[in-house]
PDB file of all heavy atoms in Angstrom:
ATOM      1  N   HIS A1014     139.215  40.755  -9.432  1.00 98.00           N
ATOM      2  CA  HIS A1014     139.068  40.343 -10.805  1.00 98.00           C
ATOM      3  C   HIS A1014     140.233  39.489 -11.191  1.00 98.00           C
ATOM      4  O   HIS A1014     141.386  39.776 -10.864  1.00 98.00           O
ATOM      5  CB  HIS A1014     138.932  41.479 -11.676  1.00 98.00           C
ATOM      6  CG  HIS A1014     137.785  42.438 -11.523  1.00 98.00           C
ATOM      7  ND1 HIS A1014     136.484  42.162 -12.035  1.00 98.00           N
ATOM      8  CD2 HIS A1014     137.673  43.512 -10.799  1.00 98.00           C
ATOM      9  CE1 HIS A1014     135.652  43.069 -11.661  1.00 98.00           C
ATOM     10  NE2 HIS A1014     136.353  43.962 -10.894  1.00 98.00           N
ATOM     11  N   LEU A1015     139.925  38.514 -12.082  1.00 99.00           N
ATOM     12  CA  LEU A1015     141.019  37.727 -12.883  1.00 99.00           C
ATOM     13  C   LEU A1015     140.770  38.165 -14.335  1.00 99.00           C
ATOM     14  O   LEU A1015     139.733  37.752 -14.956  1.00 99.00           O
ATOM     15  CB  LEU A1015     140.902  36.287 -12.639  1.00 99.00           C
ATOM     16  CG  LEU A1015     141.777  35.410 -13.519  1.00 99.00           C
ATOM     17  CD1 LEU A1015     143.279  35.663 -13.487  1.00 99.00           C
ATOM     18  CD2 LEU A1015     141.543  33.874 -13.359  1.00 99.00           C
ATOM     19  N   LEU A1016     141.702  38.933 -14.828  1.00 99.00           N
ATOM     20  CA  LEU A1016     141.603  39.507 -16.144  1.00 99.00           C
ATOM     21  C   LEU A1016     142.459  38.848 -17.135  1.00 99.00           C
ATOM     22  O   LEU A1016     143.603  38.389 -16.751  1.00 99.00           O
ATOM     23  CB  LEU A1016     141.706  40.989 -16.161  1.00 99.00           C
ATOM     24  CG  LEU A1016     140.937  41.852 -15.288  1.00 99.00           C
ATOM     25  CD1 LEU A1016     141.466  43.279 -15.293  1.00 99.00           C
ATOM     26  CD2 LEU A1016     139.402  41.794 -15.725  1.00 99.00           C
ATOM     27  N   ALA A1017     142.056  38.765 -18.357  1.00 99.00           N
ATOM     28  CA  ALA A1017     143.008  38.187 -19.420  1.00 99.00           C
ATOM     29  C   ALA A1017     142.986  39.189 -20.617  1.00 99.00           C
ATOM     30  O   ALA A1017     141.962  39.577 -21.071  1.00 99.00           O
ATOM     31  CB  ALA A1017     142.535  36.707 -19.810  1.00 99.00           C
ATOM     32  N   THR A1018     144.191  39.376 -21.167  1.00 98.00           N
ATOM     33  CA  THR A1018     144.275  40.264 -22.393  1.00 98.00           C
ATOM     34  C   THR A1018     143.808  39.565 -23.615  1.00 98.00           C
ATOM     35  O   THR A1018     143.512  40.365 -24.553  1.00 98.00           O
ATOM     36  CB  THR A1018     145.739  40.732 -22.461  1.00 98.00           C
ATOM     37  OG1 THR A1018     146.653  39.614 -22.534  1.00 98.00           O
ATOM     38  CG2 THR A1018     146.192  41.672 -21.324  1.00 98.00           C
ATOM     39  N   HIS A1019     143.912  38.282 -23.621  1.00 98.00           N
ATOM     40  CA  HIS A1019     143.421  37.556 -24.898  1.00 98.00           C
ATOM     41  C   HIS A1019     143.445  36.103 -24.590  1.00 98.00           C
ATOM     42  O   HIS A1019     143.501  35.662 -23.398  1.00 98.00           O
ATOM     43  CB  HIS A1019     144.513  37.774 -26.045  1.00 98.00           C
ATOM     44  CG  HIS A1019     145.834  37.186 -25.756  1.00 98.00           C
ATOM     45  ND1 HIS A1019     146.712  37.822 -24.898  1.00 98.00           N
ATOM     46  CD2 HIS A1019     146.548  36.246 -26.316  1.00 98.00           C
ATOM     47  CE1 HIS A1019     147.858  37.111 -24.860  1.00 98.00           C
ATOM     48  NE2 HIS A1019     147.724  36.256 -25.738  1.00 98.00           N
ATOM     49  N   GLY A1020     142.981  35.247 -25.508  1.00 98.00           N
ATOM     50  CA  GLY A1020     142.647  33.859 -25.259  1.00 98.00           C
ATOM     51  C   GLY A1020     143.566  32.843 -25.542  1.00 98.00           C
ATOM     52  O   GLY A1020     143.325  31.684 -26.023  1.00 98.00           O
ATOM     53  N   HIS A1021     144.895  33.094 -25.459  1.00 98.00           N
ATOM     54  CA  HIS A1021     146.003  32.070 -25.840  1.00 98.00           C
ATOM     55  C   HIS A1021     146.346  31.327 -24.402  1.00 98.00           C
ATOM     56  O   HIS A1021     146.253  31.965 -23.389  1.00 98.00           O
ATOM     57  CB  HIS A1021     147.081  32.705 -26.471  1.00 98.00           C
ATOM     58  CG  HIS A1021     146.953  33.079 -27.960  1.00 98.00           C
ATOM     59  ND1 HIS A1021     147.621  34.133 -28.506  1.00 98.00           N
ATOM     60  CD2 HIS A1021     146.121  32.517 -28.757  1.00 98.00           C
ATOM     61  CE1 HIS A1021     147.250  34.272 -29.751  1.00 98.00           C
ATOM     62  NE2 HIS A1021     146.271  33.297 -29.916  1.00 98.00           N
ATOM     63  N   VAL A1022     146.632  30.040 -24.624  1.00 98.00           N
ATOM     64  CA  VAL A1022     146.683  29.203 -23.552  1.00 98.00           C
ATOM     65  C   VAL A1022     147.780  29.567 -22.431  1.00 98.00           C
ATOM     66  O   VAL A1022     147.558  29.354 -21.233  1.00 98.00           O
ATOM     67  CB  VAL A1022     146.777  27.777 -23.962  1.00 98.00           C
ATOM     68  CG1 VAL A1022     148.324  27.500 -24.629  1.00 98.00           C
ATOM     69  CG2 VAL A1022     146.502  26.772 -22.808  1.00 98.00           C
ATOM     70  N   ASP A1023     148.812  30.072 -22.815  1.00 98.00           N
ATOM     71  CA  ASP A1023     149.996  30.387 -21.939  1.00 98.00           C
ATOM     72  C   ASP A1023     149.472  31.451 -20.886  1.00 98.00           C
ATOM     73  O   ASP A1023     150.154  31.603 -19.848  1.00 98.00           O
ATOM     74  CB  ASP A1023     151.183  30.805 -22.618  1.00 98.00           C
ATOM     75  CG  ASP A1023     151.085  31.997 -23.605  1.00 98.00           C
ATOM     76  OD1 ASP A1023     150.015  31.984 -24.329  1.00 98.00           O
ATOM     77  OD2 ASP A1023     151.953  32.772 -23.739  1.00 98.00           O
ATOM     78  N   HIS A1024     148.472  32.165 -21.278  1.00 98.00           N
ATOM     79  CA  HIS A1024     147.901  33.215 -20.176  1.00 98.00           C
ATOM     80  C   HIS A1024     146.811  32.730 -19.450  1.00 98.00           C
ATOM     81  O   HIS A1024     146.151  33.518 -18.696  1.00 98.00           O
ATOM     82  CB  HIS A1024     147.508  34.508 -21.169  1.00 98.00           C
ATOM     83  CG  HIS A1024     148.516  35.136 -21.773  1.00 98.00           C
ATOM     84  ND1 HIS A1024     149.041  36.312 -21.363  1.00 98.00           N
ATOM     85  CD2 HIS A1024     149.323  34.700 -22.944  1.00 98.00           C
ATOM     86  CE1 HIS A1024     150.093  36.722 -22.194  1.00 98.00           C
ATOM     87  NE2 HIS A1024     150.341  35.800 -23.097  1.00 98.00           N
ATOM     88  N   HIS A1025     146.583  31.412 -19.551  1.00 98.00           N
ATOM     89  CA  HIS A1025     145.305  30.736 -18.895  1.00 98.00           C
ATOM     90  C   HIS A1025     145.558  29.508 -18.128  1.00 98.00           C
ATOM     91  O   HIS A1025     144.735  28.936 -17.415  1.00 98.00           O
ATOM     92  CB  HIS A1025     144.200  30.550 -19.880  1.00 98.00           C
ATOM     93  CG  HIS A1025     143.603  31.727 -20.410  1.00 98.00           C
ATOM     94  ND1 HIS A1025     142.727  32.369 -19.749  1.00 98.00           N
ATOM     95  CD2 HIS A1025     143.921  32.419 -21.552  1.00 98.00           C
ATOM     96  CE1 HIS A1025     142.361  33.536 -20.495  1.00 98.00           C
ATOM     97  NE2 HIS A1025     143.111  33.557 -21.554  1.00 98.00           N
ATOM     98  N   PHE A1026     147.002  29.130 -17.931  1.00 98.00           N
ATOM     99  CA  PHE A1026     147.292  27.906 -17.185  1.00 98.00           C
ATOM    100  C   PHE A1026     146.834  28.120 -15.714  1.00 98.00           C
ATOM    101  O   PHE A1026     146.638  27.056 -15.033  1.00 98.00           O
ATOM    102  CB  PHE A1026     148.734  27.652 -17.249  1.00 98.00           C
ATOM    103  CG  PHE A1026     149.156  27.080 -18.577  1.00 98.00           C
ATOM    104  CD1 PHE A1026     150.282  27.502 -19.293  1.00 98.00           C
ATOM    105  CD2 PHE A1026     148.586  25.853 -19.007  1.00 98.00           C
ATOM    106  CE1 PHE A1026     150.661  27.003 -20.477  1.00 98.00           C
ATOM    107  CE2 PHE A1026     148.984  25.328 -20.252  1.00 98.00           C
ATOM    108  CZ  PHE A1026     150.039  25.860 -21.064  1.00 98.00           C
ATOM    109  N   GLY A1027     146.797  29.272 -15.199  1.00 98.00           N
ATOM    110  CA  GLY A1027     146.500  29.448 -13.784  1.00 98.00           C
ATOM    111  C   GLY A1027     145.072  29.775 -13.527  1.00 98.00           C
ATOM    112  O   GLY A1027     144.772  30.052 -12.336  1.00 98.00           O
ATOM    113  N   ASP A1028     144.172  29.684 -14.451  1.00 98.00           N
ATOM    114  CA  ASP A1028     142.759  30.041 -14.263  1.00 98.00           C
ATOM    115  C   ASP A1028     142.155  29.169 -13.165  1.00 98.00           C
ATOM    116  O   ASP A1028     141.420  29.604 -12.344  1.00 98.00           O
ATOM    117  CB  ASP A1028     141.974  29.965 -15.551  1.00 98.00           C
ATOM    118  CG  ASP A1028     142.288  31.101 -16.493  1.00 98.00           C
ATOM    119  OD1 ASP A1028     143.090  31.993 -16.195  1.00 98.00           O
ATOM    120  OD2 ASP A1028     141.686  31.145 -17.607  1.00 98.00           O
ATOM    121  N   GLN A1029     142.491  27.907 -13.296  1.00 98.00           N
ATOM    122  CA  GLN A1029     141.815  27.004 -12.295  1.00 98.00           C
ATOM    123  C   GLN A1029     142.353  27.226 -10.949  1.00 98.00           C
ATOM    124  O   GLN A1029     141.608  27.155  -9.825  1.00 98.00           O
ATOM    125  CB  GLN A1029     142.090  25.517 -12.540  1.00 98.00           C
ATOM    126  CG  GLN A1029     141.443  24.552 -11.860  1.00 98.00           C
ATOM    127  CD  GLN A1029     139.891  24.604 -11.868  1.00 98.00           C
ATOM    128  OE1 GLN A1029     139.323  24.299 -12.967  1.00 98.00           O
ATOM    129  NE2 GLN A1029     139.180  24.832 -10.775  1.00 98.00           N
ATOM    130  N   ALA A1030     143.702  27.552 -10.767  1.00 98.00           N
ATOM    131  CA  ALA A1030     144.187  27.831  -9.334  1.00 98.00           C
ATOM    132  C   ALA A1030     143.589  29.057  -8.830  1.00 98.00           C
ATOM    133  O   ALA A1030     143.308  29.092  -7.534  1.00 98.00           O
ATOM    134  CB  ALA A1030     145.686  27.931  -9.463  1.00 98.00           C
ATOM    135  N   ILE A1031     143.343  30.108  -9.601  1.00 98.00           N
ATOM    136  CA  ILE A1031     142.717  31.323  -9.076  1.00 98.00           C
ATOM    137  C   ILE A1031     141.272  31.010  -8.655  1.00 98.00           C
ATOM    138  O   ILE A1031     140.715  31.600  -7.647  1.00 98.00           O
ATOM    139  CB  ILE A1031     142.822  32.456 -10.032  1.00 98.00           C
ATOM    140  CG1 ILE A1031     144.281  32.757 -10.280  1.00 98.00           C
ATOM    141  CG2 ILE A1031     142.100  33.749  -9.414  1.00 98.00           C
ATOM    142  CD1 ILE A1031     145.164  33.134  -9.137  1.00 98.00           C
ATOM    143  N   LEU A1032     140.576  30.220  -9.381  1.00 98.00           N
ATOM    144  CA  LEU A1032     139.300  29.796  -9.004  1.00 98.00           C
ATOM    145  C   LEU A1032     139.328  29.089  -7.774  1.00 98.00           C
ATOM    146  O   LEU A1032     138.475  29.346  -6.808  1.00 98.00           O
ATOM    147  CB  LEU A1032     138.646  29.045 -10.157  1.00 98.00           C
ATOM    148  CG  LEU A1032     137.166  28.436  -9.931  1.00 98.00           C
ATOM    149  CD1 LEU A1032     136.146  29.558  -9.553  1.00 98.00           C
ATOM    150  CD2 LEU A1032     136.683  27.646 -11.117  1.00 98.00           C
ATOM    151  N   ASP A1033     140.132  28.051  -7.581  1.00 98.00           N
ATOM    152  CA  ASP A1033     140.292  27.311  -6.417  1.00 98.00           C
ATOM    153  C   ASP A1033     140.568  28.089  -5.198  1.00 98.00           C
ATOM    154  O   ASP A1033     140.113  27.921  -4.140  1.00 98.00           O
ATOM    155  CB  ASP A1033     141.229  26.140  -6.677  1.00 98.00           C
ATOM    156  CG  ASP A1033     140.851  25.141  -7.629  1.00 98.00           C
ATOM    157  OD1 ASP A1033     139.627  25.137  -7.968  1.00 98.00           O
ATOM    158  OD2 ASP A1033     141.769  24.271  -8.048  1.00 98.00           O
ATOM    159  N   ASP A1034     141.533  29.023  -5.346  1.00 98.00           N
ATOM    160  CA  ASP A1034     142.123  29.675  -4.159  1.00 98.00           C
ATOM    161  C   ASP A1034     141.290  30.940  -3.758  1.00 98.00           C
ATOM    162  O   ASP A1034     141.222  31.293  -2.654  1.00 98.00           O
ATOM    163  CB  ASP A1034     143.603  30.151  -4.435  1.00 98.00           C
ATOM    164  CG  ASP A1034     144.423  28.981  -4.382  1.00 98.00           C
ATOM    165  OD1 ASP A1034     144.178  27.959  -3.781  1.00 98.00           O
ATOM    166  OD2 ASP A1034     145.568  29.125  -5.008  1.00 98.00           O
ATOM    167  N   PHE A1035     140.732  31.614  -4.817  1.00 98.00           N
ATOM    168  CA  PHE A1035     140.004  32.791  -4.563  1.00 98.00           C
ATOM    169  C   PHE A1035     138.584  33.022  -5.125  1.00 98.00           C
ATOM    170  O   PHE A1035     137.912  34.078  -4.925  1.00 98.00           O
ATOM    171  CB  PHE A1035     140.863  33.912  -5.017  1.00 98.00           C
ATOM    172  CG  PHE A1035     142.251  33.981  -4.486  1.00 98.00           C
ATOM    173  CD1 PHE A1035     143.313  33.605  -5.250  1.00 98.00           C
ATOM    174  CD2 PHE A1035     142.453  34.379  -3.078  1.00 98.00           C
ATOM    175  CE1 PHE A1035     144.726  33.651  -4.725  1.00 98.00           C
ATOM    176  CE2 PHE A1035     143.738  34.348  -2.691  1.00 98.00           C
ATOM    177  CZ  PHE A1035     144.885  33.978  -3.382  1.00 98.00           C
ATOM    178  N   GLY A1036     138.116  31.973  -5.700  1.00 98.00           N
ATOM    179  CA  GLY A1036     136.698  31.990  -6.220  1.00 98.00           C
ATOM    180  C   GLY A1036     136.441  32.849  -7.450  1.00 98.00           C
ATOM    181  O   GLY A1036     135.330  33.150  -7.612  1.00 98.00           O
ATOM    182  N   LEU A1037     137.489  33.202  -8.230  1.00 98.00           N
ATOM    183  CA  LEU A1037     137.244  34.157  -9.354  1.00 98.00           C
ATOM    184  C   LEU A1037     137.461  33.410 -10.624  1.00 98.00           C
ATOM    185  O   LEU A1037     138.267  32.565 -10.758  1.00 98.00           O
ATOM    186  CB  LEU A1037     138.433  35.195  -9.347  1.00 98.00           C
ATOM    187  CG  LEU A1037     138.381  36.176  -8.207  1.00 98.00           C
ATOM    188  CD1 LEU A1037     139.543  37.199  -8.379  1.00 98.00           C
ATOM    189  CD2 LEU A1037     137.102  36.971  -8.088  1.00 98.00           C
ATOM    190  N   ARG A1038     136.523  33.600 -11.570  1.00 98.00           N
ATOM    191  CA  ARG A1038     136.651  33.113 -12.883  1.00 98.00           C
ATOM    192  C   ARG A1038     137.177  34.249 -13.782  1.00 98.00           C
ATOM    193  O   ARG A1038     136.936  35.449 -13.650  1.00 98.00           O
ATOM    194  CB  ARG A1038     135.190  32.616 -13.382  1.00 98.00           C
ATOM    195  CG  ARG A1038     134.721  31.486 -12.640  1.00 98.00           C
ATOM    196  CD  ARG A1038     133.483  30.928 -13.273  1.00 98.00           C
ATOM    197  NE  ARG A1038     132.840  29.743 -12.446  1.00 98.00           N
ATOM    198  CZ  ARG A1038     133.284  28.477 -12.732  1.00 98.00           C
ATOM    199  NH1 ARG A1038     134.139  28.170 -13.680  1.00 98.00           N
ATOM    200  NH2 ARG A1038     132.727  27.544 -11.947  1.00 98.00           N
ATOM    201  N   VAL A1039     137.893  33.736 -14.869  1.00 98.00           N
ATOM    202  CA  VAL A1039     138.565  34.612 -15.676  1.00 98.00           C
ATOM    203  C   VAL A1039     137.501  35.604 -16.512  1.00 98.00           C
ATOM    204  O   VAL A1039     136.453  35.063 -16.934  1.00 98.00           O
ATOM    205  CB  VAL A1039     139.488  33.999 -16.612  1.00 98.00           C
ATOM    206  CG1 VAL A1039     138.694  33.133 -17.682  1.00 98.00           C
ATOM    207  CG2 VAL A1039     140.523  34.908 -17.320  1.00 98.00           C
ATOM    208  N   GLU A1040     137.956  36.730 -16.802  1.00 98.00           N
ATOM    209  CA  GLU A1040     137.121  37.697 -17.527  1.00 98.00           C
ATOM    210  C   GLU A1040     138.066  37.995 -18.778  1.00 98.00           C
ATOM    211  O   GLU A1040     139.130  38.445 -18.636  1.00 98.00           O
ATOM    212  CB  GLU A1040     136.882  38.956 -16.740  1.00 98.00           C
ATOM    213  CG  GLU A1040     135.951  38.686 -15.551  1.00 98.00           C
ATOM    214  CD  GLU A1040     135.905  39.918 -14.658  1.00 98.00           C
ATOM    215  OE1 GLU A1040     135.715  41.047 -15.278  1.00 98.00           O
ATOM    216  OE2 GLU A1040     136.037  39.776 -13.401  1.00 98.00           O
ATOM    217  N   VAL A1041     137.511  37.712 -20.053  1.00 98.00           N
ATOM    218  CA  VAL A1041     138.363  37.756 -21.257  1.00 98.00           C
ATOM    219  C   VAL A1041     137.532  38.519 -22.226  1.00 98.00           C
ATOM    220  O   VAL A1041     136.334  38.496 -22.322  1.00 98.00           O
ATOM    221  CB  VAL A1041     138.742  36.281 -21.497  1.00 98.00           C
ATOM    222  CG1 VAL A1041     137.412  35.577 -21.882  1.00 98.00           C
ATOM    223  CG2 VAL A1041     139.760  36.290 -22.726  1.00 98.00           C
ATOM    224  N   PRO A1042     138.241  39.173 -23.255  1.00 98.00           N
ATOM    225  CA  PRO A1042     137.491  39.819 -24.322  1.00 98.00           C
ATOM    226  C   PRO A1042     136.572  38.974 -25.168  1.00 98.00           C
ATOM    227  O   PRO A1042     136.839  37.720 -25.458  1.00 98.00           O
ATOM    228  CB  PRO A1042     138.624  40.373 -25.281  1.00 98.00           C
ATOM    229  CG  PRO A1042     139.916  40.412 -24.319  1.00 98.00           C
ATOM    230  CD  PRO A1042     139.595  39.405 -23.439  1.00 98.00           C
TER     231      PRO A1042
END
Side-chain angles (χ1 to χ4, degrees):
H1014 299 275
L1015 169 59
L1016 305 174
T1018 55
H1019 64 291
H1021 287 149
V1022 69
D1023 53 323
H1024 295 253
H1025 292 276
F1026 283 128
D1028 289 357
Q1029 185 65 58
I1031 299 303
L1032 177 59
D1033 291 343
D1034 288 338
F1035 302 107
L1037 294 178
R1038 292 186 182 274
V1039 70
E1040 301 170 42
V1041 64

